[in-house]
Amino acid sequence: MIRNILAFFIVALYGFSGGAQRLMEDLDRGTVAIRKDKEEVFISWRLLGTDSENTKFNIYRGTKKLNEEPIANVTNFIDKTKEDTTYRIEAIENDRVTNSKAVKVWSKPYLEIPIQQPLGGKTPDGVEYSYTANDCSVADLDGDGQYEIILKWNPTNAKDNSHEGYTGNVFLDAYEFDGTRLWRIDLGKNIRAGAHYTQFIAYDFDGDGFAEVACKTADGTIDGEGNAIGDPKLDYRNKEGRILKGEEYLSIFEGKSGVALSTVDYIPSRHPKIKNPDARQLKEIWGDGYGNRVDRFLAGVGYFNGKKPSLIMARGYYTRSVLVAWDFKNGKLHQRWKFDSNDKGNEAYAGQGNHQLAIADVDNDGKDEVVYGAMTIDDDGTGLYSSGLGHGDAMHVGDLVPKREGLEIWTAQEDRSSYRGHGLWLRDANTGETLWGVKARGDVGRGLSANVDPRYEGNEMWGAVGGLHNASGEKISNERLPMNFAIWWDGDLLRELLDKNTIYKWNYKDEKVKKMLVAEGATSNNGTKATPALSADIIGDWREEVIFRSKDNQSLRLYSTVFYTNHCLYTLMHNPQYRLSIAWQNVAYNQPPHPDFFIGESNEQND
């Protein structure tokens, strides 16, 4: 039974047996009920990491219990009824009985969450813009055991760093699932809009049961209670719409209210010695003078002492890379460590960053490392290794090859001069050793790893060049599968593929993908990246949900599976690496989350 195997991972990493304890969110059952058709309602709920192996469940429609004997080893149920009422779950653990909140039946295959679109505006050069709902995250902001949604609003004139032009302000909103808005933060005119500028991290940094939200701020940022950070009169934009001077801050906001709790100078600054460097001085430090490299930001959260979470804020990856770890305690941000590729002895780490990062315990010591593309930074802020493969576009970290000890990294590489003839690489996460690769000649912009074929042990891997490979590097198909995102959606242990507003299943026998869900009236984000607002195990059982924005930007649509499964896994949000992956999913080029264990047929074989 898979449930027992996952219990090992949860106990080992969270330390329930008496060792060092990481924080585990105090979640409720996350019960969801969805009208599957006229005759059936699908119900699912969470198995929590704190549940014992003998926990069983009763299901109630209104006041009527639907099962004769308590249910064990599954966390979903199909009720044959035409009634649209409420459902609740009763959990029985030894002599203790707890009840979930009653939930209403969704009449559609998704929950529609109303959102409040900001008013558009006009830039100083007379260009009008409006707003689209962009990336999301989830966290328990008010301590009630249920997630809230944090949404970033992007103006339609958001820019890649390589492009000139003014942008509108960026907003962060917090919403309950019923559409109640808790707060809005206006990052102000001194924060440029685009995928590489605002990385926001929602997490409970001080362990009080209430999540905070952290991001880069500037003079004129307005918090959720209307308070300005710095001087709101200042405008640092130049005639090209870029922001290459002025104060830069890091702020942490209270999750319940959006009020700024602590603001410090952003580290690193644009220049180590000059407050407002000119183009020549910027180029000396970062490689160009117009802001393309200096304004590449990444963020995450990791347990660097194995017990408490620290915020990671980073700058640069094409040339210089600087990562700073921050602790939030007693209401203040405190620097834990800083890594700078410009420091003596770190020369091999320059130019090794990705368009995203991952947080994982790659050396299995109970403390997290930062996988920053082709290089990895140890839990103490020193370099663990640099593979020398150079800058890359996509990265996946997990137990991709279960027959090998430890974790692996699958990357799509960009720098032909560094990637040694192979634009896709699988390597050992602990040492950086390259295991096998796929030949390429140019920038390989996409790559994905997921368990999609039951004939082979471990994950399959593919990218923008070559075909489909198994975990040993054997090419098993010439087909190029969708590669933007992945999702556990149906009832088996294979992972499905998520691209644009569609979920696909790989039919390995016919070597074709088939559509499982098309989210009509909804759309994806981030242009050709075609990523969802968020995909995560947000509610229900261990399968993942997906959030899209409606095409008119008036709502978010939360889709949850209606496939019955006899597989019982603890909620993925109680796996440490997976939960931290959800926190950084919105960062730059969004990538799907991976737990630190393999989900697939080998789980059953080893049971």
Side-chain angles (χ1 to χ4, degrees):
M1 184 178 76
I2 293 175
R3 176 172 168 179
N4 292 333
I5 295 173
L6 295 194
F8 166 77
F9 285 98
I10 291 171
V11 170
L13 290 172
Y14 276 107
F16 289 159
S17 57
Q21 290 190 4
R22 294 180 178 226
L23 298 177
M24 178 182 280
E25 288 172 301
D26 186 12
L27 299 174
D28 68 9
R29 285 289 159 201
T31 310
V32 61
I34 306 170
R35 171 60 62 184
K36 187 175 181 181
D37 54 39
K38 293 182 180 180
E39 305 292 331
E40 294 181 336
V41 173
F42 175 82
I43 308 103
S44 74
W45 60 94
R46 291 186 182 112
L47 182 66
L48 302 170
T50 52
D51 288 335
S52 67
E53 292 183 14
N54 63 0
T55 301
K56 299 179 181 180
F57 302 98
N58 291 321
I59 304 163
Y60 288 84
R61 183 203 316 134
T63 58
K64 180 181 179 180
K65 188 170 76 166
L66 300 180
N67 52 297
E68 293 184 3
E69 296 294 330
I71 295 173
N73 302 326
V74 294
T75 50
N76 59 163
F77 185 86
I78 293 178
D79 184 20
K80 296 185 180 299
T81 181
K82 295 181 180 180
E83 291 185 44
D84 284 329
T85 177
T86 61
Y87 289 85
R88 63 180 174 88
I89 303 299
E90 181 182 74
I92 307 166
E93 185 176 356
N94 299 323
D95 296 327
R96 188 167 66 97
V97 177
T98 57
N99 283 286
S100 72
K101 294 180 180 179
V103 299
K104 295 180 180 179
V105 177
W106 297 4
S107 59
K108 301 175 182 178
Y110 58 85
L111 177 66
E112 188 132 32
I113 303 169
I115 53 178
Q116 300 175 35
Q117 185 181 27
L119 293 176
K122 184 182 293 187
T123 58
D125 56 356
V127 178
E128 294 185 351
Y129 60 90
S130 58
Y131 279 90
T132 59
N134 191 248
D135 295 333
C136 292
S137 192
V138 290
D140 185 1
L141 301 179
D142 54 13
D144 63 355
Q146 299 177 3
Y147 285 128
E148 283 73 44
I149 297 174
I150 303 91
L151 165 67
K152 180 173 75 170
W153 287 100
N154 257 0
T156 51
N157 58 359
K159 296 285 191 293
D160 184 85
N161 299 50
S162 60
H163 298 156
E164 295 181 352
Y166 291 95
T167 73
N169 293 11
V170 176
F171 296 94
L172 296 176
D173 285 359
Y175 292 96
E176 301 279 6
F177 279 17
D178 64 1
T180 300
R181 195 180 80 185
L182 302 181
W183 45 257
R184 169 168 287 172
I185 295 169
D186 178 357
L187 293 182
K189 57 180 171 289
N190 291 314
I191 295 290
R192 204 165 186 243
H196 304 287
Y197 296 99
T198 293
Q199 324 302 348
F200 64 95
I201 300 297
Y203 201 80
D204 181 6
F205 290 105
D206 57 4
D208 65 353
F210 300 85
E212 292 81 33
V213 178
C215 67
K216 185 174 182 284
T217 56
D219 285 306
T221 294
I222 307 298
D223 74 10
E225 291 191 347
N227 307 303
I229 292 173
D231 186 347
K233 298 177 183 178
L234 297 175
D235 187 345
Y236 296 125
R237 295 173 294 181
N238 65 21
K239 62 181 180 180
E240 286 84 30
R242 297 183 182 276
I243 303 163
L244 300 177
K245 66 176 184 179
E247 303 294 338
E248 302 177 283
Y249 307 122
L250 168 63
S251 297
I252 192 161
F253 300 89
E254 184 181 66
K256 291 182 293 184
S257 66
V259 66
L261 299 174
S262 180
T263 295
V264 296
D265 289 339
Y266 192 89
I267 300 174
S269 58
R270 298 182 182 96
H271 196 285
K273 297 179 180 179
I274 302 169
K275 186 172 184 179
N276 290 312
D278 59 26
R280 178 186 58 81
Q281 293 161 334
L282 276 178
K283 187 174 182 178
E284 289 175 351
I285 300 296
W286 297 99
D288 69 56
Y290 65 99
N292 186 30
R293 288 168 172 77
V294 67
D295 277 352
R296 301 277 178 165
F297 299 99
L298 300 178
V301 55
Y303 285 74
F304 301 121
N305 65 0
K307 299 178 182 180
K308 296 181 180 180
S310 299
L311 173 67
I312 280 287
M313 299 300 287
R315 186 174 212 155
Y317 42 75
Y318 286 126
T319 51
R320 182 191 186 200
S321 294
V322 185
L323 293 75
V324 183
W326 299 89
D327 294 336
F328 181 61
K329 53 187 179 182
N330 300 321
K332 300 292 183 182
L333 283 163
H334 302 270
Q335 184 178 322
R336 170 176 282 271
W337 51 253
K338 181 178 76 170
F339 174 88
D340 190 339
S341 65
N342 274 11
D343 287 349
K344 185 178 181 180
N346 290 341
E347 293 83 0
Y349 293 83
Q352 303 299 312
N354 247 54
H355 284 292
Q356 71 284 141
L357 53 69
I359 307 293
D361 180 9
V362 303
D363 53 9
N364 198 33
D365 65 353
K367 304 174 185 178
D368 287 326
E369 283 71 46
V370 183
V371 184
Y372 203 76
M375 68 181 189
T376 296
I377 307 304
D378 209 348
D379 54 76
D380 61 357
T382 61
L384 184 63
Y385 64 80
S386 173
S387 68
L389 293 173
H391 166 68
D393 275 3
M395 178 174 65
H396 305 273
V397 182
D399 190 7
L400 313 181
V401 189
K403 67 181 181 181
R404 293 188 75 255
E405 184 176 351
L407 307 178
E408 293 78 34
I409 303 171
W410 176 247
T411 55
Q413 300 296 139
E414 179 175 319
D415 186 357
R416 183 181 179 184
S417 65
S418 300
Y419 65 51
R420 304 198 294 271
H422 293 73
L424 293 162
W425 272 113
L426 180 72
R427 53 183 216 268
D428 183 279
N430 184 30
T431 65
E433 175 193 0
T434 51
L435 303 175
W436 57 265
V438 179
K439 292 183 178 180
R441 295 183 178 180
D443 179 355
V444 182
R446 297 285 197 283
L448 187 58
S449 176
N451 177 24
V452 298
D453 192 325
R455 298 173 297 177
Y456 305 95
E457 184 180 10
N459 275 19
E460 283 66 51
M461 297 165 217
W462 65 100
V465 296
L468 180 66
H469 296 76
N470 65 19
S472 299
E474 176 190 358
K475 190 174 183 179
I476 59 176
S477 175
N478 289 319
E479 292 297 312
R480 190 174 299 167
L481 280 60
M483 62 190 75
N484 282 329
F485 239 71
I487 184 171
W488 280 289
W489 184 255
D490 65 7
D492 62 30
L493 295 177
L494 301 174
R495 210 168 188 188
E496 284 65 57
L497 306 173
L498 172 58
D499 187 60
K500 298 180 180 178
N501 67 338
T502 304
I503 295 175
Y504 298 91
K505 182 80 169 180
W506 169 243
N507 185 330
Y508 61 91
K509 295 179 180 179
D510 296 337
E511 295 197 2
K512 295 180 179 178
V513 293
K514 67 174 183 178
K515 294 179 181 179
M516 303 190 74
L517 171 76
V518 179
E520 301 289 352
T523 189
S524 58
N525 288 333
N526 303 315
T528 60
K529 305 297 182 292
T531 51
L534 180 72
S535 183
D537 181 12
I538 302 170
I539 52 175
D541 62 27
W542 60 274
R543 271 86 57 86
E544 294 172 297
E545 283 68 46
V546 58
I547 299 177
F548 296 112
R549 63 180 173 93
S550 63
K551 288 184 176 180
D552 63 4
N553 291 294
Q554 299 305 301
S555 68
L556 297 173
R557 294 183 177 181
L558 172 61
Y559 287 80
S560 189
T561 188
V562 293
F563 286 92
Y564 182 83
T565 182
N566 58 7
H567 299 296
C568 185
L569 282 72
Y570 290 90
T571 173
L572 296 181
M573 291 299 239
H574 276 171
N575 176 260
Q577 182 177 311
Y578 183 93
R579 181 62 187 92
L580 300 184
S581 299
I582 301 308
W584 58 249
Q585 187 181 132
N586 70 80
V587 171
Y589 290 177
N590 308 18
Q591 299 295 318
H594 299 277
D596 53 18
F597 61 92
F598 175 72
I599 295 177
E601 297 71 29
S602 64
N603 290 120
E604 294 181 328
Q605 293 166 4
N606 293 335
D607 185 45

